[in-house]
Amino acid sequence: PTAPTAPAAPVTPLPSPLPMSTTSPSMPAARPLPIMTDKLQHVQLSPPSLPAFGNPGEFSAAPTSSAVGTQSGDQLPSALPLPMSLVSLDGPFWRFGNLQAVLRKIERSEMALPTVSEIHTSLKLAGLLQAHELQRAIQRYFDGISMEVIEALDTRLMACHGVLLEDLPLEALERFTQDHSVLEAARARNAEIEGEEFSECGAASPAADSVAARESIDNIEDVRARIYGADRFPILLPEAEGRGSISGLAISDKRRQLVIELQTQSSALQEYMEMHERQMDEGRGASTGSKLRVWTPWVQAIASVLVNPETSRQRGKGAKSLKLLRSLGLEPELLGVIACQTVLNLILLPSFRRKDDIKEAANSSSLGQVPYVTTVITVGEAVELEKWWRELSGDRPMQSRQGGKTDRATFMASLLRKQRSCQAWSEAAQTVPVGSALVDLLLDFAYVAVDRNSLSLEELERAVEIQQPEATSQKVMVKAFEHGLRREGRKTVGYISLNPAARAQLNLAEADMMAFIEPKHQPMVIPPLPWQPCGDTPQGPYLLHKVHFIRTSNQALTNLRSYSAKRVSRVMDFLGGTPWQVNAEVLEIMKEVKRRDLGVAEVPPNDDPPIPAIPPVEELELLSEKERSELLLRRHNAQKRCRELQSERPTFQLKLRVAEDFVASKKLYFPHNVDFRGRAYPVPPHLNHISDDVCRGLLKFAEPKPLGKEGLFWMKVNLANLYGKNKISFDERVAWVDAQRDWIMEVAEDPLAPGNLERWCNADDGPWQALARCQELAAVWKSDDPEAFLSQLPIHLDGSCNGLQHYAALGRDEAGGQAVNLVPSDRPQDVYTVVLEIVKDKVAKDSERPVKELEDDQLDDEKRAALLAADPGHMARRLIELDVLKRKVVKQTIMTICYGVTTVGARKQVQGQLEDMVGEQVDPKEIVKLAAYLSKLVLKSIDEVFERAMRIKLWFDRISKEFNQLEVPNSWKSPIGLACVQPYRKPKKVNVNTKRQKVTLRDGDSPQMDKNKQRMGFPPNFIHSLDATHMMLVAEGCERRGISFAGVHDSFWTHACDAPILNEIIREAFIELHGQPLLEDLYQDLRVHLGGIEPPPLPEQGTLDLSVVRNSPYIFN
């Protein structure tokens, strides 16, 4: 029983934060402090006041050592069921998995742990309830002295509240010595006062009003607000730095990273449980109240069906799937959260590799529609992973603390459990019934209240009246999700989407919905762990999250057990070790743009554009054909924009949320891995430097460097490039920036003022990056010593159509090399302009063809349009009339020609540019026809300029055909030593019947090659392996020279002062790469691969001398 609270003692002056200990957990502890000698021997929690610590057979809990002089380098025993010490966090990856399992059980109150009240009582009995005594005890704990009571407090704070013990402010320690409830959740304290039982775990969350909470400390929520603000993760506010009970601990960042990874996985379920409990306490229903999370009743409805054994779903279609779902032994609420979270992630955050994919989906009206098969499989796999975690996490047997040997009986029992769990999911087809059962429950029981006046008569007939007494007649319930069918070529595909009426309702609660859109891989606050990708026990960069070193759908093809990829992994370690920061100033401006709903610089507007209504038939007939066409076009464009915004809003909100979570972090790290070609990518998916302008504008280097003599020059070059001034010399770019000095200073002073907003928003290649550079440049101009100014923004050196640069170097093509800046020149060459001029000549010739007269007045509009599309003269004259023959129309196709762009792909690229330019005035069908005509001319013009490169590409095609004849995948070794194997195989398919439709499931890959993908993929993939090798060679050079580096495929970044060094490294690495006989080596490798078949002869090379690259200033400019 809890001891009665003693009268409050007079408040003594708070001690200062203890400095960083001179010892570490791996070194002998310093001489014990005299004041602690007697007390440390008695700081053991008495058994009568404590519940048992878990299962003794699973974790052996040795008694706490009472020796004061225990050496911290020893294997310290622990009375808590922790597989590793929280003050050392040292061990193999699987042991971190065990630790995660234990902390998660503690968080869910599935494992007994002393309460804060019991910990307070034990400290009192030991005479440690004085702030300076408790502070010293915490210091000794971090020095490695085993103290059960402090370890229990540390574990509870970390597992249940995401608070680090060393971060506790001294004021909180002082308050805790007088009142234990200061380290409890507010609801736990209220329950104690009212004599109720309440679990302390899972109740602490960021305070809604963090400013008010910082003024006083009454509970753990106030403590979090004081030290972390409103952030979910334990990242100290600037004002809280150095004010914790123990400051400067080397282990703190690693402990912080552990909590971030723990919280990332459990925050959605935790939020649901907290919200549900608060609703019940307040006596409110599950489906009313404006402050409720819109998804809360969905989870409750699914859970109620799963709990109720008398449900009507015991028979009929789907009954077996539901029975299987119930048999898994997972909490109904957890299954509900998994269903909601997974489906909303798929709908709200569709996976698009390029912006053009979003436009294409919007044009086809498929944006916001997720195939039913994808939904079912993804939900089923999420449940499968949770089941595996329950069965496998924490099952690896602990070593005996006495003998250091594994208990054989425990080990065999663990293997048996693993075998049984694997049998339940031995066939991929069994994932579908579980997923379909959950998705069907979501489709049937997820409702949203909407205004009945917003519904059509048909929709109103399907709506459900609200039964609550306080409901008004204006509101009805409609299903939040819809299942429908659409045609895709020859197939009919089932899909799931959000009901449009429900979608509008959900947009009002967009912030609430973000709780579900939780990226598993967040940026790290410690340097990523070194990659160990090869062998039987690969190690990734995170403490808890498993990440594959090579991104591919078939890990067996990576061959990482057969050879060493150490050189590539070292480069990934270097890239991941570059420290970043969130640019707080840009973040605040971005949030203000969102708040004001300005709708600029890729910040999506809060509201959808109005969709023009179709007038009644009698009014529509009064309109002329032109007026009807214009009305339908405006309506089409508005509907398309609404569909685009459905994806853009949550995507932007998620980027903003991650930035807000980490804005207080002094250093951020983005661990990298590679695809099968060697191209490097950051693992965190949403906020990283490889993403769009919003993300790039939010990031800066964490370690500033003085500009020096040349840094200001390159800072100005970078700003000019962002405004599209990259086709003039470097000196002219600097002069252009100097001429804009007045308005740059104005923009930096007040970016959102009328006039200033347009100036930075109009930057061609990145408004937010331009704004950040305007601000830093203005600060440089204001400084007394520009050379000493500490700059944090990266400058970019981008390749000039890099794929064609590699083709020109492979073929020693002098003309092609001149066009892509391999050859020195006074001004940068623009290959896009060269090709555009050829295209213009071809269009001009076609426009001179005679006009075809369509004499048949009986032709309908469709036939007339088809005849005109077949007339090159008409197409050419229409392009000239619309004035769309611009550089940006041909740029994307030229950039991707060496990466295997097809005729269809080129047409879509040109179509996207035409839609941006004239989509408001030209019918979409006509744009498609114009794009088809223009893209053919672009491809022909490219062949003329890069004749030798196209010969090499044809040679690659012939090589692919040889591989296809042997039924083996195209494979080669990249120049940096990565084994590249194309993973394109035909899938094995399994048909599974569900309640709503038949699901065709991809059950792995068959041995049969996908010959078309193998052939089409080889030329671009080989070139990608070359640009990836070049990037890695540059990274190695930067590491040797000691400068910062970040790479975005063919765009290389560093501090402004180090730009000349980076420029030199880039050119030398390019010469080193192409100085090797790459095609000859590939030819010899192919002779071995093809088993004696003689490969096609190598194409003839030109006369380009690669040494001239060393003197070319614009190769990366």
Side-chain angles (χ1 to χ4, degrees):
T2 305
T5 305
V11 178
T12 57
L14 296 178
S16 301
L18 290 180
M20 177 181 173
S21 171
T22 56
T23 65
S24 68
S26 61
M27 298 174 60
R31 180 176 59 85
L33 297 171
I35 194 170
M36 297 294 295
T37 302
D38 296 332
K39 299 179 176 61
L40 281 174
Q41 299 181 17
H42 304 289
V43 185
Q44 297 187 35
L45 296 170
S46 54
S49 65
L50 295 177
F53 286 126
N55 184 353
E58 185 175 355
F59 297 102
S60 58
T64 304
S65 171
S66 61
V68 177
T70 300
Q71 298 297 303
S72 60
D74 300 338
Q75 289 294 325
L76 295 174
S78 171
L80 296 178
L82 298 178
M84 67 170 64
S85 169
L86 293 179
V87 299
S88 64
L89 293 181
D90 189 21
F93 183 79
W94 63 263
R95 195 177 289 276
F96 277 97
N98 289 348
L99 178 62
Q100 176 190 13
V102 173
L103 294 177
R104 195 166 175 182
K105 288 179 181 178
I106 292 172
E107 177 195 8
R108 294 181 174 183
S109 302
E110 297 172 0
M111 181 175 289
L113 190 71
T115 65
V116 173
S117 175
E118 291 165 339
I119 294 171
H120 188 272
T121 300
S122 297
L123 290 171
K124 181 179 180 181
L125 293 174
L128 294 178
L129 281 187
Q130 293 183 13
H132 67 279
E133 295 279 9
L134 181 55
Q135 187 182 21
R136 288 177 183 274
I138 294 172
Q139 175 68 73
R140 299 288 291 171
Y141 166 68
F142 280 104
D143 282 345
I145 301 297
S146 180
M147 299 181 64
E148 180 186 343
V149 64
I150 302 298
E151 186 178 25
L153 179 61
D154 187 25
T155 305
R156 177 166 287 282
L157 289 174
M158 181 180 289
C160 298
H161 308 304
V163 173
L164 301 189
L165 178 61
E166 63 269 33
D167 289 346
L168 289 179
L170 299 177
E171 181 184 350
L173 279 186
E174 177 70 21
R175 293 288 303 276
F176 174 68
T177 61
Q178 302 170 36
D179 181 3
H180 66 82
S181 64
V182 75
L183 295 185
E184 292 177 338
R187 293 191 63 244
R189 181 176 185 175
N190 296 336
E192 181 181 330
I193 294 173
E194 297 170 6
E196 300 174 359
E197 292 185 1
F198 179 77
S199 170
E200 293 181 47
C201 283
S205 59
D209 187 355
S210 59
V211 177
R214 290 180 215 169
E215 297 177 357
S216 63
I217 295 181
D218 295 323
N219 50 55
I220 194 65
E221 288 95 339
D222 295 342
V223 173
R224 280 194 60 99
R226 175 72 64 91
I227 58 179
Y228 305 140
D231 292 343
R232 296 170 299 139
F233 300 135
I235 299 176
L236 287 171
L237 295 170
E239 57 266 31
E241 289 282 352
R243 300 184 64 181
S245 57
I246 308 293
S247 62
L249 287 173
I251 193 64
S252 287
D253 285 341
K254 195 169 186 179
R255 285 161 53 85
R256 217 174 294 284
Q257 178 65 34
L258 174 68
V259 175
I260 289 172
E261 294 186 36
L262 284 169
Q263 290 185 329
T264 297
Q265 292 189 334
S266 61
S267 61
L269 178 61
Q270 179 178 334
E271 182 172 355
Y272 166 76
M273 298 305 294
E274 293 166 14
M275 181 65 66
H276 177 63
E277 289 171 357
R278 283 198 292 272
Q279 287 175 234
M280 300 308 295
D281 283 353
E282 295 168 11
R284 293 187 288 147
S287 59
T288 60
S290 60
K291 295 182 180 179
L292 297 186
R293 302 294 190 196
V294 73
W295 45 267
T296 305
W298 305 350
V299 178
Q300 289 176 319
I302 292 174
S304 65
V305 174
L306 293 174
V307 169
N308 183 10
E310 304 300 327
T311 177
S312 59
R313 291 175 171 255
Q314 292 290 342
R315 297 178 181 177
K317 270 192 172 184
K320 289 184 178 180
S321 299
L322 192 60
K323 184 177 180 180
L324 175 61
L325 187 62
R326 285 173 170 154
S327 69
L328 297 178
L330 298 176
E331 300 95 324
E333 293 84 359
L334 173 63
L335 292 172
V337 168
I338 287 175
C340 294
Q341 183 178 20
T342 306
V343 174
L344 287 172
N345 263 292
L346 290 171
I347 293 176
L348 298 178
L349 284 179
S351 178
F352 294 116
R353 296 180 62 187
R354 301 176 298 271
K355 268 190 172 182
D356 290 345
D357 294 342
I358 300 179
K359 293 179 181 178
E360 183 179 347
N363 286 336
S364 64
S365 302
S366 63
L367 196 61
Q369 297 178 357
V370 182
Y372 181 79
V373 176
T374 302
T375 310
V376 164
I377 294 173
T378 308
V379 172
E381 288 176 344
V383 176
E384 175 185 351
L385 288 174
E386 180 67 22
K387 179 68 174 175
W388 271 57
W389 180 88
R390 292 295 180 89
E391 297 289 343
L392 303 181
S393 289
D395 276 355
R396 186 181 289 267
M398 298 281 291
Q399 287 189 340
S400 170
R401 298 187 185 276
Q402 285 78 22
K405 295 182 179 180
T406 300
D407 183 338
R408 179 173 177 79
T410 306
F411 180 67
M412 296 306 296
S414 172
L415 287 180
L416 182 60
R417 283 194 296 271
K418 291 182 181 180
Q419 182 182 7
R420 288 173 178 169
S421 68
C422 290
Q423 288 173 352
W425 303 93
S426 58
E427 297 182 10
Q430 292 195 14
T431 303
V432 173
V434 170
S436 66
L438 269 178
V439 172
D440 287 342
L441 290 175
L442 187 65
L443 287 168
D444 290 341
F445 292 98
Y447 281 85
V448 175
V450 299
D451 192 328
R452 70 170 63 241
N453 294 330
S454 65
L455 303 178
S456 65
L457 291 177
E458 184 180 353
E459 291 171 333
L460 203 54
E461 289 177 358
R462 298 196 302 267
V464 177
E465 296 291 340
I466 299 178
Q467 301 300 320
Q468 282 76 10
E470 65 272 21
T472 66
S473 60
Q474 294 302 315
K475 294 285 185 180
V476 292
M477 303 295 287
V478 297
K479 285 190 174 182
F481 298 92
E482 295 179 338
H483 175 266
L485 301 173
R486 69 168 183 256
R487 294 289 298 177
E488 288 187 1
R490 299 178 181 178
K491 298 185 299 182
T492 300
V493 178
Y495 67 87
I496 289 178
S497 63
L498 278 168
N499 184 322
R503 183 83 195 216
Q505 178 71 18
L506 289 177
N507 285 340
L508 298 177
E510 188 174 283
D512 297 346
M513 300 304 298
M514 295 312 298
F516 274 123
I517 307 174
E518 187 69 71
K520 179 179 179 181
H521 300 118
Q522 300 278 4
M524 299 182 70
V525 295
I526 60 173
L529 303 182
W531 275 106
Q532 299 175 18
C534 304
D536 294 330
T537 56
Q539 171 69 57
Y542 287 95
L543 300 178
L544 302 178
H545 303 321
K546 184 177 180 180
V547 179
H548 290 299
F549 181 66
I550 296 181
R551 300 181 176 207
T552 179
S553 58
N554 191 338
Q555 287 294 315
L557 295 178
T558 61
N559 300 309
L560 289 176
R561 294 189 178 188
S562 307
Y563 81 106
S564 174
K566 190 173 182 179
R567 186 179 181 185
V568 177
S569 67
R570 282 204 308 265
V571 175
M572 294 305 104
D573 292 339
F574 175 64
L575 293 177
T578 300
W580 298 84
Q581 278 183 354
V582 173
N583 192 325
E585 192 173 357
V586 171
L587 175 61
E588 289 304 314
I589 297 172
M590 198 174 290
K591 289 162 63 177
E592 184 64 15
V593 168
K594 179 68 174 175
R595 189 189 68 80
R596 295 190 192 181
D597 195 20
L598 299 178
V600 297
E602 297 185 23
V603 178
N606 297 330
D607 300 320
D608 289 343
I611 298 177
I614 302 258
V617 177
E618 56 273 14
E619 295 182 19
L620 193 62
E621 291 177 348
L622 298 177
L623 299 177
S624 66
E625 181 178 345
K626 181 179 180 182
E627 290 174 330
R628 283 198 302 271
S629 299
E630 291 176 350
L631 173 62
L632 294 176
L633 180 60
R634 290 198 308 272
R635 182 177 173 84
H636 167 81
N637 289 331
Q639 289 174 329
K640 183 180 73 170
R641 182 57 184 152
C642 290
R643 292 191 292 267
E644 291 173 349
L645 288 173
Q646 290 177 9
S647 173
E648 291 178 10
R649 287 197 193 101
T651 302
F652 170 79
Q653 196 69 30
L654 185 52
K655 295 170 185 174
L656 207 62
R657 181 182 182 180
V658 177
E660 290 174 327
D661 285 340
F662 290 93
V663 67
S665 181
K666 290 182 177 179
K667 291 183 178 180
L668 285 182
Y669 299 90
F670 301 111
H672 284 61
N673 59 2
V674 297
D675 62 16
F676 73 90
R677 306 160 301 185
R679 277 198 147 191
Y681 298 86
V683 176
H686 301 294
L687 180 68
N688 60 65
H689 63 283
I690 209 172
S691 189
D692 60 6
D693 175 61
V694 169
C695 292
R696 295 183 183 188
L698 285 169
L699 293 173
K700 60 183 180 180
F701 286 137
E703 298 173 349
K705 294 186 75 171
L707 284 175
K709 293 184 178 180
E710 298 187 71
L712 181 57
F713 177 90
W714 286 102
M715 182 186 291
K716 294 176 180 177
V717 168
N718 190 210
L719 179 59
N721 290 343
L722 291 170
Y723 277 91
K725 307 299 179 182
N726 53 358
K727 298 299 169 284
I728 55 180
S729 69
F730 290 138
D731 290 334
E732 289 173 313
R733 298 179 213 184
V734 171
W736 180 86
V737 171
D738 287 335
Q740 320 304 318
R741 176 167 179 159
D742 291 342
W743 68 254
I744 290 175
M745 297 292 287
E746 293 175 7
V747 164
E749 187 69 26
D750 189 358
L752 301 183
N756 291 344
L757 183 67
E758 293 76 13
R759 285 167 171 163
W760 63 268
C761 286
N762 289 335
D764 296 19
D765 294 331
W768 290 107
Q769 295 174 85
L771 174 61
R773 280 146 187 80
C774 286
Q775 291 174 330
E776 186 168 89
L777 184 57
V780 174
W781 280 333
K782 290 179 181 178
S783 67
D784 296 330
D785 186 359
E787 291 187 11
F789 181 86
L790 296 176
S791 171
Q792 289 183 266
L793 294 181
I795 62 98
H796 312 160
L797 296 176
D798 299 348
S800 300
C801 200
N802 189 238
L804 287 173
Q805 286 180 325
H806 288 292
Y807 263 120
L810 284 173
R812 300 297 192 269
D813 183 358
E814 191 162 359
Q818 179 76 39
V820 291
N821 293 302
L822 296 186
V823 178
S825 61
D826 296 333
R827 300 170 67 84
Q829 302 299 305
D830 184 18
V831 63
Y832 310 115
T833 302
V834 172
V835 173
L836 177 62
E837 292 304 319
I838 299 175
V839 170
K840 285 182 176 179
D841 289 342
K842 294 180 183 299
V843 171
K845 290 180 180 178
D846 283 347
S847 67
E848 295 173 357
R849 295 188 180 192
V851 178
K852 287 187 177 181
E853 298 292 339
L854 301 179
E855 299 178 355
D856 190 352
D857 295 335
Q858 304 300 318
L859 290 175
D860 59 25
D861 293 342
E862 189 172 344
K863 289 183 179 180
R864 183 180 298 274
L867 289 173
L868 290 175
D871 179 10
H874 172 77
M875 292 286 103
R877 288 187 288 272
R878 187 69 172 135
L879 288 173
I880 295 172
E881 177 188 346
L882 294 171
D883 192 23
V884 293
L885 296 179
K886 306 293 183 182
R887 179 178 178 271
K888 64 180 180 180
V889 174
V890 303
K891 179 178 179 180
Q892 191 175 10
T893 304
I894 298 171
M895 289 175 62
T896 55
I897 186 64
C898 49
Y899 299 133
V901 65
T902 62
T903 302
V904 175
R907 191 261 300 163
K908 290 181 178 179
Q909 291 170 345
V910 174
Q911 178 183 336
Q913 295 297 331
L914 293 178
E915 287 173 349
D916 288 343
M917 298 173 69
V918 294
E920 295 292 333
Q921 61 190 82
V922 179
D923 184 82
K925 293 181 180 178
E926 183 181 5
I927 288 180
V928 172
K929 303 294 185 183
L930 292 172
Y933 165 75
L934 183 56
S935 61
K936 291 178 182 178
L937 297 185
V938 174
L939 292 175
K940 289 180 182 178
S941 302
I942 293 173
D943 288 345
E944 294 177 16
V945 177
F946 294 97
E947 181 182 0
R948 198 174 296 276
M950 294 304 103
R951 289 180 190 172
I952 297 176
K953 186 173 179 296
L954 289 175
W955 183 72
F956 286 150
D957 287 336
R958 295 174 64 188
I959 294 298
S960 299
K961 292 178 181 178
E962 298 288 349
F963 275 108
N964 282 344
Q965 288 180 1
L966 296 177
E967 290 285 346
V968 294
N970 289 47
S971 57
W972 67 99
K973 188 176 77 171
S974 75
I976 204 166
L978 186 71
C980 304
V981 182
Q982 294 192 153
Y984 311 130
R985 297 173 183 266
K986 290 189 175 180
K988 290 190 294 185
K989 296 180 179 180
V990 176
N991 292 327
V992 180
N993 290 319
T994 68
K995 175 183 173 181
R996 279 181 163 71
Q997 66 175 74
K998 181 178 76 172
V999 171
T1000 301
L1001 176 66
R1002 175 171 178 160
D1003 187 15
D1005 293 327
S1006 70
Q1008 189 177 4
M1009 296 296 108
D1010 188 326
K1011 293 184 178 181
N1012 189 47
K1013 287 186 176 180
Q1014 289 284 346
R1015 181 181 63 82
M1016 298 292 293
F1018 181 53
N1021 288 334
F1022 184 81
I1023 296 299
H1024 276 312
S1025 73
L1026 295 186
D1027 67 44
T1029 298
H1030 183 223
M1031 189 275 291
M1032 293 188 203
L1033 293 175
V1034 172
E1036 289 178 332
C1038 291
E1039 187 176 19
R1040 287 193 298 267
R1041 301 287 289 271
I1043 67 174
S1044 298
F1045 175 77
V1048 184
H1049 304 321
D1050 60 352
S1051 177
F1052 303 150
W1053 303 6
T1054 191
H1055 285 89
C1057 61
D1058 294 326
I1061 300 175
L1062 178 60
N1063 228 324
E1064 176 189 340
I1065 293 172
I1066 289 171
R1067 294 194 293 267
E1068 292 297 335
F1070 192 88
I1071 294 172
E1072 177 187 351
L1073 171 63
H1074 286 284
Q1076 306 173 51
L1078 298 177
L1079 292 181
E1080 290 82 353
D1081 289 348
L1082 177 62
Y1083 182 85
Q1084 296 302 326
D1085 286 345
L1086 291 174
R1087 296 182 66 183
V1088 177
H1089 276 302
L1090 298 176
I1093 298 176
E1094 196 68 22
L1098 286 168
E1100 182 182 352
Q1101 289 192 318
T1103 59
L1104 175 65
D1105 180 6
L1106 284 180
S1107 64
V1108 300
V1109 170
R1110 191 171 284 113
N1111 301 315
S1112 175
Y1114 297 111
I1115 178 174
F1116 273 65
N1117 73 94

